[in-house]
Amino acid sequence: QVQLVESGGGLVQPGGSLRLSCAASGNTVSINRMGWYRQAPGKQRESVASLSSAGSITYEDSVKGRFSIFRCNAKNTMCLQMDSLKPEDTAVYYCMVAVGPFDYWGQGTQVTVSS
């Protein structure tokens, strides 16, 4: 079992920045992949960025060059730095970790980009 706690969402103006954090606890030794997903109203949940245990990183095309996924300074914490935010980035953001065949999800944090 893995427990995830997210933080860092909020309201920001277009062009602004936010950093999301996801703290993992429990069976963190066996995590083989971590990632961020988002779901906008009326849309399906989509992958935003992922980080494998081997260090491989992937980004969804619309966030390349603007978002960065990385392990934060705190142990077992993953961050998503979001710069140059756009209104279309508005969504609930979820962190996810994969342990073997199982995926664990955070509770979600709202990100709203609006003037």
Side-chain angles (χ1 to χ4, degrees):
Q1 291 282 340
V2 175
Q3 295 77 44
L4 303 173
V5 178
E6 301 163 3
S7 60
L11 172 64
V12 65
Q13 292 186 342
S17 298
L18 282 175
R19 177 175 291 189
L20 306 182
S21 298
C22 177
S25 61
N27 184 21
T28 59
V29 173
S30 301
I31 292 174
N32 51 50
R33 185 170 61 90
M34 307 175 75
W36 289 94
Y37 289 70
R38 66 185 179 187
Q39 187 167 18
K43 295 188 177 181
Q44 290 186 331
R45 189 174 297 187
E46 64 175 357
S47 175
V48 175
S50 66
L51 171 65
S52 75
S53 58
S56 176
I57 295 175
T58 59
Y59 294 101
E60 194 271 327
D61 285 345
S62 69
V63 307
K64 286 179 180 178
R66 300 188 298 120
F67 290 12
S68 295
I69 184 172
F70 56 96
R71 289 186 181 271
C72 309
N73 291 333
K75 186 178 180 181
N76 296 324
T77 302
M78 172 181 63
C79 286
L80 183 69
Q81 177 66 37
M82 304 186 294
D83 299 320
S84 302
L85 282 161
K86 304 175 180 180
E88 50 264 43
D89 294 318
T90 295
V92 178
Y93 284 70
Y94 299 88
C95 68
M96 184 281 297
V97 299
V99 178
F102 303 107
D103 293 343
Y104 297 91
W105 295 87
Q107 79 281 5
T109 185
Q110 177 70 45
V111 171
T112 302
V113 185
S114 175
S115 55

